[in-house]
Amino acid sequence: MRKISLMVAGVAGAAVFGQLGAAAPERWWSPGEGRVFPASLDYPNDHGTLRVLVDGGPVETKGHPFFEPLGANGRACVTCHQPADAMSISAATAAERWNKTGGKDPLFAAIDGANCPSLPQDRRESHSLLIERGLFRIQLPWPVRQWNGRPVTPDFTIEVMRDPNGCNSGPNYGPAAGNISVYRRARPVANMKYLLAVGFPFDPKQGFALPRDPDDGSMMSGNIMADNRAGNLRIQMEDAAHGHLQFAKGLNAKQIAQIRDFEMRVYTAQQVSKQAGALDSMDAEGGPMKLKNSQPGALGSIGIPVWSEFAKWEKISPEDAKTLTPEQLAFRQSVARGARVFREKMFLITDTAGINSRIGFGNPVRNSCVFCHNMSQMGNDVAPGQVDLGTTTMPFADPWRDLPLFRITCLKAPHPHYGRVIYTMDPGFAMTTGRCADVGKITLQSMRGLAARAPYFSNGLAKDLRGIVDYYDRRYNIGYTEQEKQDLTNMMSAL
């Protein structure tokens, strides 16, 4: 029996807010407002409607540490992890909050919501990186230190070649002051069981055994943070409490347990497409319910193929086609084609640390997008996902003048692809390991809820979904046809 009738198909784009006729919920969640978080929330976006599910919900947010402003700057975790933005935050939302509050929202706290705390905080241009590209300032210790404070002796030096915002030079900032600042997107706090899932007992990119969780001894996936500096949720929470929320003292065990419980129960995905209608109709399996009910950590190449949620739309019967508008039919077919292009379009992956080196699968190696985006239902990496796609490092990255530029000099062996001297806007994983060979590596993003949280990549390089496709096409000389580019874009808008 089909999940959607002709009548429902026709109104799917309008009846998306929980129940037919219900008003859209307030998009912005302010710290401490005490709203009850329902078991299901729907939010419109440019591509349709995002759905947020809370397994076992609803959740009482009053007094909950994820939603309460417990730090000095008035923020809560929810400030930078908004439900309407798939538990991240989009640049469009940041711009909207600036316009609505005149920059007074805690989102724009000087510690990381400004390009640098030393800039005039009442000026929009002092917060341009957050407003225009959704970037937060991340201050990291130099020389490198592990999560537990142990120093690491790096095998490279770092020099500041460009500092447009003043946070990598001067008496309080920069390598001479014991820190460097980079700028990154907020990663989504949803679908966490997939990000924590371990697919292998070792890291096939590095050839090392997976590290053990210091709290419970389990293997750590390495897929929580952009630079993998926090291996479990407790360490990530403590890092955020200090670096973003400005807690005077750390989270206690009860608060950590409450936040973890909430984060492990939240699932987000696009539920309705403006062009295609309901993404779980005609036997498709879009939306977050599939994520909630599936087991994480499955390798798509030997199990359920990545994005096979839309396989049924490859062959829509003439009978079913009659219940759709021509636009809906064409878009559904495009989504299904895009999923197949994602899995099957082969290209040469070259000079990419984490793939072509350290252990290496050959340079070049011929494969498709699912070589790295290989986890069923989620599209992140089953293995620890630190890969250098070139998005932050020359010559592949766009040379943005409003981001810092660092010169890295390898002291021992040269970098396997860039040589001894590297120019980068974000050293990435190297700021966790201290290894020159890891410069530019960034943990692969999850791919669900993309439509709600532009821009993309860790530094906001791609302003929209088409920009993701265009970057990969340029970086790896893939040679996508215009139809393939559009199909991939449409498919990602349905995730």
Side-chain angles (χ1 to χ4, degrees), residues 194-196 223 307 372-376 378-383 444-447:
Y194 293 89
L195 298 179
L196 297 176
N223 286 322
W307 312 140
C372 294
H373 295 280
N374 49 45
M375 188 183 291
S376 300
M378 192 67 169
N380 61 302
D381 201 337
V382 170
L444 294 177
Q445 292 269 5
S446 64
M447 294 188 66

Side-chain angles (χ1 to χ4, degrees), residues 382-436:
V382 170
Q386 290 75 51
V387 172
D388 172 28
L389 300 173
T391 53
T392 68
T393 303
M394 302 301 150
F396 304 112
D398 291 339
W400 285 330
R401 293 289 176 181
D402 55 358
L403 289 178
L405 183 67
F406 306 101
R407 180 165 65 191
I408 305 292
T409 302
C410 303
L411 299 176
K412 296 179 180 179
H415 189 281
H417 309 295
Y418 294 124
R420 189 167 298 280
V421 177
I422 309 162
Y423 292 88
T424 181
M425 293 175 283
D426 185 346
F429 190 39
M431 291 302 296
T432 298
T433 67
R435 295 193 296 261
C436 195

